[in-house]
Amino acid sequence: MNDLAPLTAAVTAPAIELSRLSISFGELLAVQDVSLSVEQSTFLSIVGPSGCGKTSILNLLAGLIDGHRGQVTVAGKQPAAGNAGIGYMLARDSLLPWRTTLGNVCYGMEIRGTPQAEREGKARHLIDRVGLKGFENAYPKALSHGMRQRAALARTFCLTAPILLMDEPFGALDAQTKLQLEDLLLELWNTERRTVVFVTHDLAEAVALSDRVIVMSSRPGRIIADIGVTLSRPRSVRALQKDAAFHELYAKVWSKLEEGLRSRDH
């Protein structure tokens, strides 16, 4: 089955570009003077204190908010709501309670006009890959939280979107389920190498998943570090727990985050 062939060819480099971006909500300055270029096929994570504008940046890229200064391009175009080139996975699974697992995984493709046979075939393939085979006809109330997030992950990867935005998708999971889904995300990403912008408060998660980790200061959020992750791919999140280089990178990210917090206090 070739439904999951690489999808990055249609995206010109850079996939995302921010130049002197500032985001305000009324009198509140949330993000200040952020410049960032994200090449296609890059897995980039953003970490920083609560309220520093991480999710606001994702929402802007998705065309869900305005109120910004500076230049923003997504695949060479201005952000716009409903952009078929973007998939967005939220912290909440947002499954529709009246739809089965199959129906929920198909939902994004259905909205975008994918023919029924094609969307159901692709959805069943992704449902199997995320470990939910046998639960195609189950409703969300019958699924555990981890299973619901697996369904949401399958729904996101079913979209033929070369850019994926992910806002703390595993933040509410228990430690074991979180590790399983992080490894699953790496497996799916390695198949297609889409561009991912991933927001998290978990520094270990950011290092384990990413090619680059952006560290932001307290509000108004500014970039205080752009750290390359040199760990080889493919990776296993579990195996990295015993890797000294992983722990060195974690310490570096933590140190930069502390610097940003100290600069706020002073």
Side-chain angles (χ1 to χ4, degrees):
M1 187 169 185
N2 197 36
D3 287 333
L4 296 178
L7 296 166
T8 56
V11 181
T12 57
I16 295 167
E17 191 157 24
L18 312 177
S19 178
R20 307 205 66 179
L21 171 68
S22 295
I23 302 175
S24 299
F25 299 96
E27 298 297 318
L28 177 67
L29 180 60
V31 174
Q32 183 177 35
D33 201 25
V34 165
S35 295
L36 177 66
S37 183
V38 185
E39 299 300 323
Q40 61 178 325
S41 303
T42 297
F43 197 123
L44 179 138
S45 286
I46 304 176
V47 301
S50 295
C52 72
K54 302 182 297 295
T55 297
S56 295
I57 291 174
L58 293 191
N59 288 338
L60 178 63
L61 294 175
L64 300 180
I65 63 171
D66 198 357
H68 71 278
R69 299 189 305 275
Q71 299 298 314
V72 182
T73 57
V74 179
K77 300 178 181 179
Q78 296 297 310
N83 183 351
I86 287 180
Y88 198 165
M89 184 173 177
L90 305 174
R92 301 180 304 277
D93 58 75
S94 301
L95 299 183
L96 301 175
W98 58 88
R99 281 187 170 239
T100 63
T101 299
L102 179 62
N104 270 295
V105 175
C106 283
Y107 187 57
M109 294 184 289
E110 183 179 332
I111 289 174
R112 295 184 179 186
T114 305
Q116 181 176 356
E118 181 182 343
R119 67 178 182 254
E120 289 191 359
K122 191 169 186 179
R124 290 183 186 279
H125 178 68
L126 263 296
I127 287 170
D128 184 20
R129 286 198 69 182
V130 301
L132 289 178
K133 188 173 183 178
F135 292 91
E136 292 88 346
N137 297 319
Y139 288 90
K141 65 181 180 181
L143 304 178
S144 69
H145 188 35
M147 294 168 78
R148 291 166 63 107
Q149 286 301 100
R150 287 173 185 267
L153 189 61
R155 179 182 59 197
T156 302
F157 271 83
C158 271
L159 299 175
T160 54
I163 297 172
L164 300 180
L165 310 177
M166 309 186 83
D167 188 9
E168 297 192 72
F170 310 139
L173 299 176
D174 64 86
Q176 182 178 1
T177 303
K178 187 173 186 176
L179 282 173
Q180 291 172 343
L181 286 181
E182 288 167 351
D183 269 333
L184 176 59
L185 173 57
L186 281 178
E187 179 186 332
L188 292 171
W189 182 83
N190 273 317
T191 302
E192 306 174 31
R193 297 294 177 108
R194 306 196 206 188
T195 304
V196 175
V197 181
F198 189 96
V199 163
T200 180
H201 284 284
D202 185 333
L203 306 189
E205 179 176 63
V207 172
L209 297 177
S210 305
D211 298 308
R212 293 164 62 193
V213 178
I214 300 298
V215 183
M216 295 189 68
S217 69
S218 299
R219 187 175 63 241
R222 298 169 289 102
I223 293 177
I224 56 176
D226 183 345
I227 298 172
V229 178
T230 54
L231 303 172
S232 62
R233 294 190 185 272
R235 299 176 193 161
S236 162
V237 176
R238 297 182 193 187
L240 286 174
Q241 310 308 309
K242 300 177 182 179
D243 188 321
F246 166 78
H247 291 286
E248 288 174 8
L249 282 165
Y250 174 91
K252 184 175 182 180
V253 173
W254 176 244
S255 174
K256 293 297 181 182
L257 187 60
E258 283 192 313
E259 285 179 20
L261 292 171
R262 286 197 298 269
S263 66
R264 175 199 64 180
D265 294 337
H266 294 155

